[in-house]
Amino acid sequence: MPVNKRGRKSRPSSAADTPQHQDAREGSPLASFKTSGISNLYSVAKPFKNTEYTNSRRWKNLKQVVAQEQADSDWPVDFPAYWAIDAPPSLLPQKKYCDITGLPAKYTDPKTNVRYHSAEVYRIVRTLPPGSEQLYLALRNANVTLK
């Protein structure tokens, strides 16, 4: 912006004096874009793209990456790698889920040993026909087979 005698910035006298309109008058690439609108966006030269660039890198799948890393490995045998992770058993107790709904189970029916989430589910457990609780227990490998 031009500065007046008092050192303050003054406004341009007309819209044609603004920098945006000056670009349009000079015949720059912006001028053709502004006059043609968005429909002509792809015909504007894009100097930031190199048309001669080619990507020479090849994509590898997981099997190729694992084979290459095993072949190139200078690592000790017991070094942890993502293709052979042996985790120790967890120190946390196993989570218990409701046999009917799959929600976290807070309670266990002492008569049938079926886990349940709430009083609503307990009413359903009490109305199960005889023997069907064994089917629910078999789903989590906790069924009792009498010989």
Side-chain angles (χ1 to χ4, degrees):
M1 286 186 159
V3 179
N4 63 10
K5 292 179 184 178
R6 294 183 184 171
R8 295 184 182 172
K9 294 180 180 178
S10 63
R11 291 189 165 171
S13 59
S14 68
D17 292 337
T18 60
Q20 296 149 350
H21 287 63
Q22 288 172 0
D23 288 342
R25 280 186 278 152
E26 294 172 2
S28 67
L30 285 175
S32 64
F33 173 71
K34 288 179 182 176
T35 58
S36 62
I38 299 213
S39 62
N40 201 10
L41 181 64
Y42 293 108
S43 66
V44 176
K46 297 176 182 78
F48 57 89
K49 276 191 172 181
N50 184 359
T51 57
E52 299 167 6
Y53 174 77
T54 57
N55 189 0
S56 60
R57 291 182 68 183
R58 244 185 80 220
W59 290 95
K60 295 180 183 178
N61 59 24
L62 180 63
K63 190 174 183 180
Q64 291 171 331
V65 171
V66 168
Q68 181 182 2
E69 288 203 4
Q70 285 177 342
D72 298 342
S73 68
D74 298 343
W75 306 103
V77 177
D78 60 343
F79 187 79
Y82 63 88
W83 59 82
I85 295 178
D86 294 328
S90 176
L91 299 175
L92 300 174
Q94 186 178 7
K95 292 186 178 182
K96 298 177 181 177
Y97 294 101
C98 176
D99 292 325
I100 310 296
T101 62
L103 296 170
K106 301 176 187 175
Y107 315 104
T108 304
D109 181 24
K111 197 176 212 181
T112 60
N113 207 21
V114 174
R115 295 180 185 150
Y116 59 94
H117 175 72
S118 64
E120 278 183 58
V121 180
Y122 182 68
R123 282 187 228 122
I124 296 171
V125 170
R126 300 307 309 154
T127 61
L128 289 174
S132 63
E133 71 274 351
Q134 290 299 321
L135 297 173
Y136 283 109
L137 293 172
L139 290 174
R140 63 177 165 105
N141 293 330
N143 56 338
V144 178
T145 54
L146 299 174
K147 294 181 182 181

